[in-house]
Amino acid sequence: MGSEAIFRRKRWKSIVFALLLTLIASIVVSLNLGFAQLPFTTVIKALAKKLPFLGGWLGAPGVEETIITDIRLPRVLAGVVVGMALSLAGSIFQGIFRNPMADPYVIGTSAGAAFGASLAIVLGLGAGLLGVASISLMAFLGATLTVSLVYSISRVGARTPVTMLLLSGIAVSTFLSALVMVLGVLAGEKLHALYFWLLGGFSYVEWVDVLVAAPLILAASIVSYFYSRDLNVMQLGEEQALQLGVEVERSKLVLTALGSLATSAAVAISGLIGFVGLIIPHLVRLLVGPDHRVLIPASMLTGGSLLALCDGLARTIGRITFLGAPTELPVGVVTAIMGAPFFLYLLRRRRGEYGL
């Protein structure tokens, strides 16, 4: 290994470690924000009481600490998990399609999830499974079935051309989006609930949602990392990747399934949150370059930090803007308003040095 490669690896490790510290700090800051702003010392004390052995020594939690651990912590961790999942899926799909406009929803995941959740809301399905709400289950089911349908339609013999996959995803998404609009017309007094689910957020997240989604997303991220070299080689084109020994069709199938699994698990607990999966991989590429071995973990850490902070800001801005009324801004609105101008600023500063 040459000195340049050693230096690059050391730089990658430093960046990933810094992003990990940023994620921890983002969680603590987000726990501090909300309708009732709580001191950082209370936040840290509440988290410490959840640690084995140390918790018993610090005594029973108070009211403020209960608010932090029982109400805020599950939704903040849900934000971290969803941000990681969408950033992971965005990195994968931009790599597979070699298209900077690809995002986690490009092959119909969002439309399928929206259709499943809309059906559950309009039909008033109340029963869940293992503590998970029926809306989340229907969203996950809708997303996975839609991706399976899109992949089946796109098959041409033994191959799955990325252009077919992309166009099939757009067509199926358009069809399902039209059905969601029909359900919206029929929703009646349930239209408000349907509309807010579509906007995305973490208001109704519980611990069970996090505990169900996190293992799926963790498994998808670990397996994806082992395919990061294949993703790197596929940037040269499928023909050249085949010549270099990559089983392109198998890699595409596995990576598409992993990206779709992560997106489906995320959308099921958060609704539709845009921007993160599209922009975060681009933002991180500006920092670490296009190598997926570092791009994937760095994007996940950045996406988790961003969504944790945006969730806290959504609670705080709602309190200030609406004069104390118990209203929250949709998290997707906050991510777009804050992130898009910052990304454009970075893009303008680094123009000419950027590529997939």
Side-chain angles (χ1 to χ4, degrees):
M1 186 182 293
S3 58
E4 186 180 344
I6 293 173
F7 173 77
R8 187 171 61 242
R9 284 182 177 274
K10 284 183 177 177
R11 180 173 176 271
W12 286 354
K13 289 178 182 175
S14 301
I15 290 173
V16 170
F17 182 67
L19 290 174
L20 180 61
L21 294 181
T22 303
L23 175 63
I24 295 171
S26 301
I27 292 172
V28 174
V29 171
S30 184
L31 288 172
N32 166 261
L33 300 174
F35 289 108
Q37 192 166 5
L38 303 175
F40 283 111
T41 52
T42 305
V43 172
I44 294 172
K45 193 175 177 183
L47 294 177
K49 286 183 177 179
K50 285 294 180 184
L51 298 175
F53 307 113
L54 190 60
W57 183 71
L58 290 173
V63 176
E64 291 182 337
E65 293 160 355
T66 302
I67 291 174
I68 290 170
T69 55
D70 290 355
I71 298 175
R72 291 188 184 176
L73 189 56
R75 64 178 292 166
V76 170
L77 292 182
V80 171
V81 167
V82 169
M84 285 184 160
L86 296 179
S87 301
L88 167 67
S91 304
I92 290 174
F93 287 130
Q94 286 171 11
I96 291 175
F97 293 112
R98 289 184 290 144
N99 185 332
M101 295 305 295
D103 72 357
Y105 305 144
V106 71
I107 56 173
T109 317
S110 62
F115 180 67
S118 300
L119 267 181
I121 292 170
V122 174
L123 296 177
L125 299 181
L129 181 65
L130 300 175
V132 181
S134 58
I135 296 174
S136 298
L137 290 174
M138 288 291 285
F140 184 81
L141 189 63
T144 50
L145 288 177
T146 301
V147 172
S148 302
L149 175 65
V150 168
Y151 203 87
S152 300
I153 294 172
S154 307
R155 296 283 289 176
V156 180
R159 296 180 61 245
T160 309
V162 292
T163 306
M164 282 288 290
L165 196 57
L166 196 59
L167 293 176
S168 301
I170 292 172
V172 172
S173 295
T174 304
F175 176 75
L176 291 175
S177 297
L179 294 183
V180 171
M181 290 182 203
V182 172
L183 290 171
V185 172
L186 301 173
E189 61 183 14
K190 297 170 183 169
L191 180 61
H192 184 267
L194 173 58
Y195 180 68
F196 267 85
W197 189 91
L198 293 175
L199 289 176
F202 304 103
S203 300
Y204 304 105
V205 167
E206 298 180 359
W207 273 113
V208 65
D209 299 313
V210 181
L211 295 175
V212 170
L216 297 176
I217 294 166
L218 177 64
S221 64
I222 291 172
V223 180
S224 299
Y225 186 78
F226 288 110
Y227 279 83
S228 56
R229 179 189 168 277
D230 287 9
L231 269 176
N232 287 343
V233 179
M234 285 163 67
Q235 304 315 299
L236 302 172
E238 292 190 8
E239 294 297 330
Q240 198 158 349
L242 277 170
Q243 292 172 3
L244 292 172
V246 174
E247 294 184 41
V248 173
E249 291 304 320
R250 190 191 68 173
S251 297
K252 275 196 299 187
L253 175 61
V254 172
L255 287 166
T256 301
L258 294 171
S260 302
L261 175 65
T263 307
S264 303
V267 171
I269 64 172
S270 69
L272 306 182
I273 294 177
F275 176 77
V276 176
L278 174 64
I279 300 300
I280 289 296
H282 291 304
L283 191 66
V284 175
R285 259 186 218 101
L286 291 170
L287 181 65
V288 302
D291 194 319
H292 289 83
R293 290 174 297 176
V294 65
L295 178 65
I296 286 177
S299 294
M300 291 180 68
L301 292 171
T302 307
S305 301
L306 177 72
L307 217 46
L309 287 175
C310 286
D311 178 51
L313 286 175
R315 285 178 263 140
T316 306
I317 292 172
R319 180 190 63 180
I320 296 172
T321 305
F322 302 110
L323 303 177
T327 305
E328 288 185 21
L329 284 181
V331 175
V333 173
V334 178
T335 57
I337 289 176
M338 290 184 54
F342 180 62
F343 175 70
L344 288 173
Y345 165 74
L346 288 179
L347 201 60
R348 290 288 297 176
R349 284 199 61 182
R350 301 285 298 271
R351 56 188 170 184
E353 304 173 25
Y354 178 70
L356 276 177

